Amino acid sequence: MTALATSQSASHAGDDHEAAGAPRADCIADSAGGLTFDVTDPGEPGTADAAHLLLRRRDAESAEDCVRLPLSPSADGRLRAALPSSVELAEGRWNAYAQVAGGEPRRLMPGVNDLRSLVDRAPSGSRGHVAVRIPYATKQGNLSVRSWLRAPHAETGEIDITGTAMTVHGRVYGTGLTDTAYVEAVRRAEPDVVHRAEVTADGPEFTFTLPYGPLAEHGAGPWDLWLLPAGGSGPRVRLARILDDVPDKKTIFTYPVVPCATERHGTLETGPYYTLDNDLSVRVRETRGAEGAGEDG
């Protein structure tokens, strides 16, 4: 994926209206999960020591949903703010603003996003969690940050499709894998309907194969995938792919759907996909054209 870009597209209800003439921010991501923002002149009177960069979580309801970072002069004449990896940022989408001397916050526009350090990132997991922050451009051209905070985390990698089954390779962070580990496929509309898949572990690496047939027998509808690294006695970890520079994988990481014959529902289409939160799921749907491929959440 392109790791150095002037913008990244996204389509999400609830984004702010485009702010014409807004200040612009270049972003640099580091491999530990920190971000640096270099902001052009905010366009309002005030001193540099009174300027802040605000990150406000979409649909914020409390003070904890807003992070204020001081903007300080940098060598190239711009203002710089740092979001270190040690500052917790809850999961969600955070809109970025510049504010000078207590004035009204102004929505920031994206400049150059340098995300090279996020490509093939492999955090240690020593903190017991994985923190990911990816700056991106909203469909209105504003700057936002997509944040994940997973403790522990199960990162998916290659997915092989063979016949009517898929084999998933991944790595777990923040916990260990035991010989009792397994994966659960949970029918989203009926959380009590669960199918298990055995896990093969090699240190923190894991592999499992999930047949589509048992899922398709329940009819159309998505299934969400969870790793239980210590079996039923340990944590339950949502499978996801977040350790790269792509904030929205649903329309970018696409996999073939295959026909799956059932006794009660005829032939259905099945295949893996990533949700709007980059979590791994399996869609089961009636056979149709590709235009319906993005309907599952």
Side-chain angles (χ1 to χ4, degrees), residues 19 28 34 39 49 62 95 100 103 117 125 144 177 187-188 195 203 238 252 268-269:
I28 302 175
V39 182
D49 59 1
S62 67
N95 297 333
V100 176
S117 65
S144 290
L177 289 164
R187 185 169 168 84
R188 193 177 299 170
H195 286 276
R238 188 72 166 92
I252 296 175
L268 300 175
E269 289 183 344

Side-chain angles (χ1 to χ4, degrees), residues 173-199:
Y173 295 89
T175 191
L177 289 164
T178 72
D179 56 6
T180 60
Y182 60 87
V183 163
E184 286 185 343
V186 181
R187 185 169 168 84
R188 193 177 299 170
E190 301 174 86
D192 293 334
V193 179
V194 176
H195 286 276
R196 291 187 181 183
E198 294 183 359
V199 166

Side-chain angles (χ1 to χ4, degrees), residues 5 25 28 77 113 158 168 186 233 244 254 262:
I28 302 175
N113 289 337
E158 294 297 321
V168 179
V186 181
S233 62
D244 56 28
T254 58
T262 71

Side-chain angles (χ1 to χ4, degrees), residues 153-159 168-171 206 239-241 274 280:
H153 171 56
E155 178 77 1
T156 59
E158 294 297 321
I159 301 177
V168 179
H169 307 272
R171 182 183 181 95
F206 63 86
L239 288 162
R241 185 163 182 168
Y274 285 102
L280 182 62

Side-chain angles (χ1 to χ4, degrees), residues 13 35 45 66 106 115 135 137 144 156 214 226 282 287:
L35 288 177
C66 186
R106 300 188 65 199
L115 309 181
S144 290
T156 59
W226 299 79
V282 176
T287 302

Side-chain angles (χ1 to χ4, degrees), residues 30-263:
D30 64 50
S31 59
L35 288 177
T36 299
F37 302 85
D38 286 321
V39 182
T40 59
D41 181 4
E44 298 179 12
T47 58
D49 59 1
H52 289 83
L53 185 144
L54 304 182
L55 293 174
R56 183 178 297 159
R57 188 156 67 156
R58 197 100 26 100
D59 303 322
E61 296 181 354
S62 67
E64 288 74 22
D65 291 323
C66 186
V67 174
R68 293 172 60 87
L69 304 171
L71 281 165
S72 303
S74 61
D76 59 3
R78 295 184 293 177
L79 299 178
R80 172 168 291 182
L83 176 68
S85 59
S86 57
V87 173
E88 186 172 304
L89 202 65
E91 282 210 20
R93 299 180 187 273
W94 295 73
N95 297 333
Y97 304 81
Q99 186 177 30
V100 176
E104 286 297 316
R106 300 188 65 199
R107 199 74 164 85
L108 285 170
M109 296 178 65
V112 175
N113 289 337
D114 186 348
L115 309 181
R116 288 173 289 185
S117 65
L118 301 183
V119 178
D120 298 324
R121 180 184 171 210
S124 67
S126 59
R127 296 181 180 178
H129 69 262
V130 170
V132 177
R133 294 88 175 262
I134 306 178
Y136 70 96
T138 70
K139 65 180 181 180
Q140 290 86 6
N142 297 313
L143 176 64
S144 290
V145 175
R146 182 64 172 95
S147 174
W148 287 269
L149 188 63
R150 298 285 169 99
H153 171 56
E155 178 77 1
T156 59
E158 294 297 321
I159 301 177
D160 302 319
I161 311 296
T162 305
T164 56
M166 69 177 191
T167 298
V168 179
H169 307 272
R171 182 183 181 95
V172 69
Y173 295 89
T175 191
L177 289 164
T178 72
D179 56 6
T180 60
Y182 60 87
V183 163
E184 286 185 343
V186 181
R187 185 169 168 84
R188 193 177 299 170
E190 301 174 86
D192 293 334
V193 179
V194 176
H195 286 276
R196 291 187 181 183
E198 294 183 359
V199 166
T200 300
D202 181 9
E205 310 286 339
F206 63 86
T207 303
F208 68 91
T209 297
L210 180 67
Y212 296 146
L215 311 186
E217 288 296 341
H218 291 273
W223 295 72
D224 299 325
L225 303 184
W226 299 79
L227 172 68
L228 287 82
S233 62
R236 194 164 175 264
V237 188
R238 188 72 166 92
L239 288 162
R241 185 163 182 168
I242 58 177
L243 295 177
D244 56 28
D245 63 328
V246 183
D248 296 285
K249 295 181 173 62
K250 186 172 183 180
T251 59
I252 296 175
F253 283 65
T254 58
Y255 300 91
V257 294
V258 297
C260 189
T262 71
E263 293 183 2

